[in-house]
Amino acid sequence: MAVTIKDVARLADVAPSTVSRVIANNPRISEKTKRKVKEAMEYLGYHPNFNARSLANRSTQAIGLVMPSSADHAFQNPFFPEVIRGISTKAHEKEYALYMSTGKTEDEIFDGVVQMVQGRRVDGIILLYSRVDDRIMTYLQQQQFPFTVIGKPFKNADCITHIDNDNYKASQELTEYLISLGHERIGFVGGNLNLVVTIDRLLGYEKAIRDAALDYKDHYIVHEQFLKEGGQEAVKELFSLPDPPTALVVMDDLMTFGVISTLKELGLSVPDDISVASFNNVMISELSTPPLTSVDINIFQLGYEAAVGLLDCIQTCKLGKRVVVPHKLIIRQSCKPKLEGLETKETV
Amino acid sequence: MAVTIKDVARLADVAPSTVSRVIANNPRISEKTKRKVKEAMEYLGYHPNFNARSLANRSTQAIGLVMPSSADHAFQNPFFPEVIRGISTKAHEKEYALYMSTGKTEDEIFDGVVQMVQGRRVDGIILLYSRVDDRIMTYLQQQQFPFTVIGKPFKNADCITHIDNDNYKASQELTEYLISLGHERIGFVGGNLNLVVTIDRLLGYEKAIRDAALDYKDHYIVHEQFLKEGGQEAVKELFSLPDPPTALVVMDDLMTFGVISTLKELGLSVPDDISVASFNNVMISELSTPPLTSVDINIFQLGYEAAVGLLDCIQTCKLGKRVVVPHKLIIRQSCKPKLEGLETKETV
DNA sequence: TTGTAAGCGTTATCAT
DNA sequence: ATGATAACGCTTACAA
């Protein structure tokens, strides 16, 4: 049996409540007994039982993390480790631990959240993604349970604390960059259209295209899943068009790897035959061949601020803050100017 | 105030203990009351309080995960999401959740583990790495707390349940593959020498080199940190030797990206000027340019089996099993035969 | 088959 | 400044 507060109390010759006060660093306790108790704790190797504390306290010192279904392989995206690193950093400052429910399907994940919330396993929750019509978000709102969202809520954005980039603007800028290189036929390779981030980036792209008085063509827009499976088809179709794009805006660095790989199969090379620009600027982007031009969205900070926001929620029960994390275009070697009059070689 | 077991009991007109039995699915309870209680639970929207249950039960239904310090960026390695996906899958089958302590430095992480253990936050722990002389492992052994290790414990391997690849053999095979392509000057780019996996792979490499009666040269062996920072130097040195290697065995796909990028700076291209082979076969390996020849170590299964082993430990309190997850050489395009008499061009 | 009551290890509310 | 004592919500002997 582990050593409890009572054992400490007995050894220090005080009441259990006194020991509890010492732990909580209650100011009105004499230095003398404080020392005495601490010695006893040290001697016995005492460590507080978190469950007992949570029960009495109704606070767990843990934050729940909700990821997209690990079934779709979004999981493998380096975005997640990095955003968690950000969350973890802030959490640690306040001595919070992280809690993840397990579960593959939609329903399992939802049940996991319910368990976290109703089972009082966590003090608050961070949603690591934002989708159109998300049950979980609706549920958390109903429950008035503290939570923050990474990304922009599809609706009620002004009463949900969320941390986001200005993806609309970022996408617009990225597209404008390609336009400034002389590209006129620019495709968009998006991911899951249920994700709000996909929508925002698509809209930003459209804005830039229209502002530049270029044709906004539906068939320049394809959506592959974040990773390669199946997505290859979409890209291949794009390049079997009579007027294939000369540049591509891609949702995500990881997807870009898939795109580049597919293009290579088609005999097209980046950036010589086609320019590619994307988002996230994960570490490997810099190391890839060619190094990717990418919008750095400050993933770490996204996570850090989400934790800041959540801890705020937990303390003050206030919701509705919007934090915008700045982005920055990082220009590397995956884009080249479109030379006037020099047509991209037609696909096979 | 949340709805408790008492509320349910009152509504169903039974004793709290009966409700508890229904939850636990106790066989000796009449179908009638079982139904009655379940209805009441449904009606009130009852959910058990996990802390209370843990306290009474001394079981948390949570598994603690210990990662290497997130300070060194090992974290970004896709190995971790994938191994966690494996763990998560098994954990979910048995309705366990995952718990991660936060903390950057060695000491913080150690304290986190102590809190998990002594604070009864988890039922068992999985170490996601294995190092030489690890305090945490020593501590867990002393405490006789259920844990499993991914990788091979440096010592006491036979009394610690661990899940590992046969890294020695894998490395030997990978090196032999390079030798079979005609390479005679083969370098080894390792990572942190405190990691047991590094040591095993280095030894396997050495074995293959010696078996083939090639020179085992110390200066063909460099150790860069897992990610690029600083590591560039080591690789550069390697290629300023009078007799630079024509092929490289690299610890890890992610490191390979760094290596390839550095080589490109030196004007060397893979696989034309130099062959590179590595380990892990993370998803991007297939999508990279060139696609990497890599040993698939079944990361998912590594995680899955670690969870299996841990849950076993928790139930039976038995330790000391060793599970070897099979590996498989995946040949792609990062290696080329060394042509006889055709010297690699000297570095600048 | 079900109820009663004593824990589980804390914190919190009174007293003193 | 400290001590009793009652929660916190659940499980589990032991009784019935």
Side-chain angles (χ1 to χ4, degrees), chain A residues 141 147 153 155-162 313 318-322:
Chain A
Q141 279 193 282
F147 75 103
K155 45 188 187 184
N156 304 327
D158 39 314
C159 47
I160 296 176
T161 295
H162 62 280
C313 275
K318 276 196 180 174
L319 281 171
K321 218 171 88 182
R322 168 174 169 87

Side-chain angles (χ1 to χ4, degrees), chain B residues 202-328:
Chain B
L202 180 54
L203 291 175
Y205 155 86
E206 177 176 356
K207 167 84 167 136
I209 294 289
R210 295 208 192 277
D211 281 1
L214 299 177
D215 274 357
Y216 177 80
K217 296 181 191 160
D218 279 343
H219 55 267
Y220 275 2
I221 294 160
V222 299
H223 290 278
E224 57 170 328
Q225 287 314 308
F226 260 69
L227 298 196
K228 53 154 205 168
E229 297 142 36
Q232 309 225 341
E233 292 316 310
V235 172
K236 282 182 185 164
E237 259 175 52
L238 207 50
F239 286 89
S240 56
L241 292 174
D243 53 345
T246 64
L248 249 32
V249 172
V250 184
M251 262 305 286
D252 181 277
D253 291 339
L254 207 54
M255 252 175 69
T256 301
F257 284 101
V259 168
I260 290 179
S261 156
T262 306
L263 288 175
K264 209 164 32 177
E265 282 179 34
L266 296 176
L268 295 171
S269 104
V270 174
D272 291 330
D273 299 322
I274 175 151
S275 294
V276 175
S278 62
F279 294 86
N280 286 18
N281 192 32
V282 294
M283 195 205 57
I284 28 172
S285 314
E286 186 179 350
L287 304 176
S288 92
T289 311
L292 302 182
T293 288
S294 183
V295 177
D296 189 322
I297 59 169
N298 264 309
I299 303 177
F300 179 90
Q301 203 188 337
L302 236 26
Y304 188 88
E305 296 294 341
V308 170
L310 180 62
L311 296 177
D312 234 61
C313 275
I314 292 174
Q315 285 185 349
T316 69
C317 287
K318 276 195 177 174
L319 281 170
K321 218 171 84 181
R322 168 176 170 88
V323 177
V324 177
V325 169
H327 61 266
K328 189 179 169 196

Side-chain angles (χ1 to χ4, degrees), chain B residues 15 17-18 21 28 30 33 58:
Chain B
S17 50
T18 304
R21 287 185 185 107
R28 47 192 192 189
S30 78
T33 48
R58 11 314 295 297

Side-chain angles (χ1 to χ4, degrees), chain A residues 59-134:
Chain A
S59 115
T60 60
Q61 293 291 108
I63 293 175
L65 262 33
V66 182
M67 313 248 217
S69 160
S70 70
D72 62 28
H73 292 223
F75 216 69
Q76 294 240 358
N77 200 311
F79 175 85
F80 292 103
E82 183 64 3
V83 80
I84 290 175
R85 205 169 61 83
I87 294 171
S88 180
T89 300
K90 181 64 198 183
H92 187 74
E93 287 173 22
K94 302 286 183 182
E95 310 211 82
Y96 273 77
L98 302 183
Y99 193 92
M100 300 171 35
S101 72
T102 54
K104 273 188 156 40
T105 68
E106 288 275 323
D107 286 347
E108 287 173 357
I109 294 176
F110 182 76
D111 290 347
V113 171
V114 173
Q115 281 201 356
M116 287 194 201
V117 173
Q118 313 263 14
R120 312 280 131 150
R121 277 186 178 238
V122 299
D123 294 341
I125 283 183
I126 300 180
L127 292 182
L128 265 42
Y129 63 90
S130 171
R131 298 192 301 189
V132 176
D133 281 330
D134 191 48

Side-chain angles (χ1 to χ4, degrees), chain B residues 42-225:
Chain B
E42 187 78 22
Y43 180 74
L44 295 174
Y46 169 79
H47 284 271
N49 180 316
F50 265 94
N51 297 306
R53 182 186 287 214
S54 298
L55 190 55
N57 234 359
R58 11 314 295 297
S59 114
T60 59
Q61 293 289 108
I63 293 175
L65 263 32
V66 182
M67 313 250 218
S69 161
S70 69
D72 63 28
H73 292 224
F75 216 69
Q76 294 240 358
N77 200 312
F79 175 86
F80 291 102
E82 184 63 2
V83 81
I84 290 176
R85 205 168 62 83
I87 294 171
S88 180
T89 300
K90 181 64 197 179
H92 186 73
E93 289 174 22
K94 302 287 184 183
E95 311 211 79
Y96 274 76
L98 303 182
Y99 193 92
M100 300 171 36
S101 72
T102 55
K104 272 189 157 45
T105 69
E106 287 277 323
D107 286 346
E108 286 173 356
I109 293 176
F110 182 77
D111 290 347
V113 171
V114 173
Q115 281 201 355
M116 287 194 201
V117 173
Q118 313 264 12
R120 309 282 131 144
R121 278 188 177 234
V122 299
D123 295 340
I125 282 183
I126 299 180
L127 292 182
L128 266 43
Y129 63 90
S130 171
R131 299 192 301 189
V132 176
D133 281 331
D134 190 48
R135 282 165 76 191
I136 296 179
M137 214 181 302
T138 311
Y139 169 76
L140 292 172
Q141 280 194 279
Q142 282 173 355
Q143 296 287 322
Q144 307 207 44
F145 196 78
F147 74 103
T148 60
V149 179
I150 292 180
K152 191 173 76 186
F154 188 59
K155 45 187 187 185
N156 303 328
D158 40 313
C159 47
I160 295 175
T161 294
H162 61 282
I163 321 297
D164 197 15
N165 303 105
D166 189 340
N167 281 305
Y168 179 82
K169 186 125 169 284
S171 186
Q172 189 184 348
E173 287 170 15
L174 188 58
T175 310
E176 281 167 356
Y177 168 69
L178 254 15
I179 294 172
S180 78
L181 290 179
H183 293 281
E184 299 182 336
R185 301 200 307 267
I186 303 174
F188 182 90
V189 183
N192 191 332
L193 258 179
N194 288 323
L195 295 175
V196 179
V197 61
T198 307
I199 299 172
D200 279 352
R201 289 180 183 167
L202 180 54
L203 291 175
Y205 155 86
E206 177 176 356
K207 167 84 167 136
I209 294 289
R210 295 208 192 277
D211 281 1
L214 299 177
D215 274 357
Y216 177 80
K217 296 181 191 160
D218 279 343
H219 55 267
Y220 275 2
I221 294 160
V222 299
H223 290 278
E224 57 170 328
Q225 287 314 308

Side-chain angles (χ1 to χ4, degrees), chain A residues 162-179:
Chain A
H162 62 280
I163 322 297
D164 197 15
N165 303 106
D166 189 340
N167 281 304
Y168 179 83
K169 185 124 170 284
S171 185
Q172 188 184 350
E173 287 171 15
L174 188 57
T175 310
E176 280 168 354
Y177 168 69
L178 289 172
I179 294 171

